[in-house]
Amino acid sequence: MLVTSVEAKVVGLNDLKAVAEGVYYSPHPLPLVDSSIIAFLKDVARTCSLGRARFCAHPSPQADQHDMLIVTHRDSYVTPHRHITKSETFVVLEGSADLILFDGAGAVEKIVRMGAPTSGLPFFYRMPPRQFHSLAIQSEFLVFLENTKGPFSLDDREHASWAPTFDDDGNGKAYIAAALQRSNVT
């Protein structure tokens, strides 16, 4: 079997292709990322309407595997949601956040403070399908890796009917703060 090599390329800011607000892809089949991309994503997350930005290392939404470097600002509302058929993995690189797990009716099941590996906190999870979850960002930014199976489909994600919608930022942040307070986590 003939194996061809692929050129590894450090992704520069000029290489990034915006496909939606705060969503960037690279044309390189083997992208290498340094801290300049994280700094860029932080700048975008500060001004993006959803308060987050991502670099997609996979070539397209149709790819079989999705690998993303994501930066989320503390003011971002992460809607309680679940993935119907897919699991996702999550690795914190920088910052801290509370992972909030909900039951199907919206009651908080568990809250876990997560942080970078050097924090001594849990830094990795693998979320099973059908588990409602959200994040409450505690640091100015949360920088993390997220991986899941592709292809991307909006039909595989369900936003919780008992929580404010993703575009209701003010009520959403109040909802998450109340969930944390009810659970005695600050």
Side-chain angles (χ1 to χ4, degrees), residues 28-179:
H28 307 298
L30 201 165
L32 301 172
V33 176
D34 63 19
S35 61
S36 68
I37 298 299
I38 292 175
F40 170 76
L41 293 175
K42 285 179 179 178
D43 287 341
V44 172
R46 275 187 189 94
T47 59
C48 189
S49 64
L50 293 176
R52 54 186 166 259
R54 73 183 60 218
F55 167 74
C56 298
H58 49 283
S60 76
Q62 291 75 38
D64 289 338
Q65 177 67 33
H66 287 213
D67 303 294
M68 298 159 283
L69 175 63
I70 303 173
V71 174
T72 303
H73 190 270
R74 106 173 83 217
D75 291 337
S76 180
Y77 167 50
V78 180
T79 312
H81 66 285
R82 64 182 174 180
H83 307 279
I84 305 304
T85 64
K86 299 175 185 180
S87 63
E88 71 180 15
T89 59
F90 174 96
V91 180
V92 178
L93 300 177
E94 179 184 321
S96 63
D98 290 327
L99 167 65
I100 309 167
L101 302 176
F102 298 91
D103 70 14
V108 174
E109 293 181 323
K110 187 170 187 135
I111 297 176
V112 179
R113 177 71 46 98
M114 299 186 70
T118 57
S119 71
L121 297 168
F123 65 91
F124 172 91
Y125 73 62
R126 181 179 182 276
M127 188 66 58
R130 306 197 67 76
Q131 173 65 58
F132 279 109
H133 59 285
S134 182
L135 292 170
I137 314 302
Q138 299 302 320
S139 51
E140 181 180 5
F141 293 101
L142 182 69
V143 179
F144 60 97
L145 297 174
E146 185 176 292
N147 310 88
T148 192
K149 285 186 63 77
F152 175 73
S153 171
L154 287 174
D155 293 337
D156 195 62
R157 180 179 58 203
E158 178 186 3
H159 291 272
S161 62
W162 34 260
T165 58
F166 77 93
D167 56 354
D168 189 358
D169 208 43
N171 286 324
K173 287 186 274 190
Y175 178 84
I176 294 297

